[in-house]
Amino acid sequence: HEFRLHNYEVTFISRYETGQKVLLENGFHLIPINGKEINVDEFYYGSKYELEQDLRVIPEILLSEMPDIVAVDSYNVTTEFFFEIAPFTKCLIYIDDIASFSYPVDIIINGNISAALLKYEKLSENQQLLLGLKYNLIRQEFSNIPRRKVSKKCKSIMISTGASDPHNMTYKILNMLLNSDRFSSYSINIVIGKGFKDHAVKQIKELALLNPFVSLYENPPKMSKIMLQSDLAITAGGSTIYELFACGVITFAFIYADNQKNLVETAEQKGYLFNMGYYNRLDEKVMIENITMVSENYSLKKNIVEKIQSVIDCKGTHRIVKVVDAFMLKIN
């Protein structure tokens, strides 16, 4: 979106139908790579076969398109992959959050709060590292959020696991809240992402129908609206956390995948959120007690909300495009 605002022509190469649908809905030019979406019980980061297919197909696409800039956002990469595609572009960018090896690219972007912990090693003087919240990729939707007026009493709570929920944590957490008398007066906002499995959605809907104070939001076009309606949130430790910070929502985060661990633990150390640990060790009693403790402590709530709404200025994408502009100007 930010590149388009700066008059760039933007094309996406995308493998899976879920992502392709989002891109088309947003009016982007799409070149699909045919591939059957893998239905697994864990987060799926790609396979060796898919990487081999990418190395056959993507260079051909790049040769045809001749892009000035290529930005890669995938865990399924190797040194060979970058070397293979580098000749087809002037500027190669990698969006990362794990620093699994030294990436032979021109620009690395990691806009996470924990980016500095990963100790990236520059491969050359010209390689640029855009690290930390200054370069966070939060959407424009969150750039003009008003300062939250903290309620004396919490009245609503949101549950979100991001685009997918491989272990049906949304249903499990909803059950935990409904089984506790402490939340009988709360409204509960449930976000259902595009990657949720059909049987999980059915379970959640059946439970919600029995409880009139539970509201479901399937693939909501504007997440900020739901967040602003919620005093608290229970969420997986992905990029949703930054959106919750921007909206001033007090967050209880659990770790759903290993790449979320640094983010959640660093944010916890800074006093920005409450770390509920790994999803498969989520302690119902501890979670209920923590939420209750925060709900009843106005000064604590006020302090946290003031801190988290000052964390991100939502200008990260703008800064990134400016850096890329300067890079292109220099090499041209």
Side-chain angles (χ1 to χ4, degrees), residues 184-311:
S184 58
S185 62
Y186 277 59
S187 60
I188 303 175
N189 301 317
I190 306 290
V191 179
I192 297 174
K194 289 180 183 289
F196 276 49
K197 296 174 183 176
D198 291 340
H199 73 270
V201 175
K202 184 182 176 185
Q203 274 188 308
I204 295 164
K205 286 182 175 179
E206 287 173 352
L207 190 56
L209 281 172
L210 301 174
N211 298 276
F213 47 89
V214 176
S215 300
L216 300 183
Y217 299 89
E218 289 191 66
N219 311 317
K222 201 162 185 182
M223 280 289 286
S224 58
K225 186 176 179 182
I226 305 162
M227 292 177 178
L228 291 170
Q229 293 171 355
S230 308
D231 297 309
L232 311 170
I234 303 170
T235 182
S239 57
T240 300
I241 283 176
Y242 301 118
E243 297 173 357
L244 290 164
F245 287 174
C247 293
V249 185
I250 295 172
T251 301
F252 299 82
F254 59 92
I255 301 164
Y256 218 159
D258 288 337
N259 64 305
Q260 298 175 354
K261 184 174 183 288
N262 282 338
L263 190 166
V264 173
E265 291 182 350
T266 304
E268 177 193 30
Q269 289 164 13
K270 292 181 178 294
Y272 296 156
L273 55 69
F274 295 87
N275 180 3
M276 298 288 98
Y278 272 85
Y279 75 94
N280 53 353
R281 297 196 289 271
L282 190 64
D283 190 309
E284 179 177 350
K285 183 181 177 183
V286 171
M287 184 181 76
I288 299 298
E289 286 178 353
N290 280 338
I291 295 173
T292 304
M293 177 271 294
V294 174
S295 301
E296 295 173 353
N297 190 329
Y298 175 72
S299 61
L300 176 61
K301 286 186 292 187
K302 193 169 184 297
N303 178 262
I304 294 172
V305 169
E306 286 174 357
K307 279 202 295 189
I308 61 179
Q309 279 203 289
S310 303
V311 168

Side-chain angles (χ1 to χ4, degrees), residues 53-69:
Q53 185 186 27
D54 287 347
L55 283 171
R56 287 195 300 271
V57 176
I58 292 176
E60 292 182 6
I61 295 171
L62 298 181
L63 181 62
S64 172
E65 295 288 315
M66 296 185 66
D68 293 310
I69 301 157

Side-chain angles (χ1 to χ4, degrees), residues 38-54:
I38 308 297
N39 187 17
V40 294
D41 291 329
E42 298 291 338
F43 287 96
Y44 181 67
Y45 299 120
S47 67
K48 183 179 178 182
Y49 166 76
E50 286 177 343
L51 183 58
E52 290 171 353
Q53 185 186 27
D54 287 347

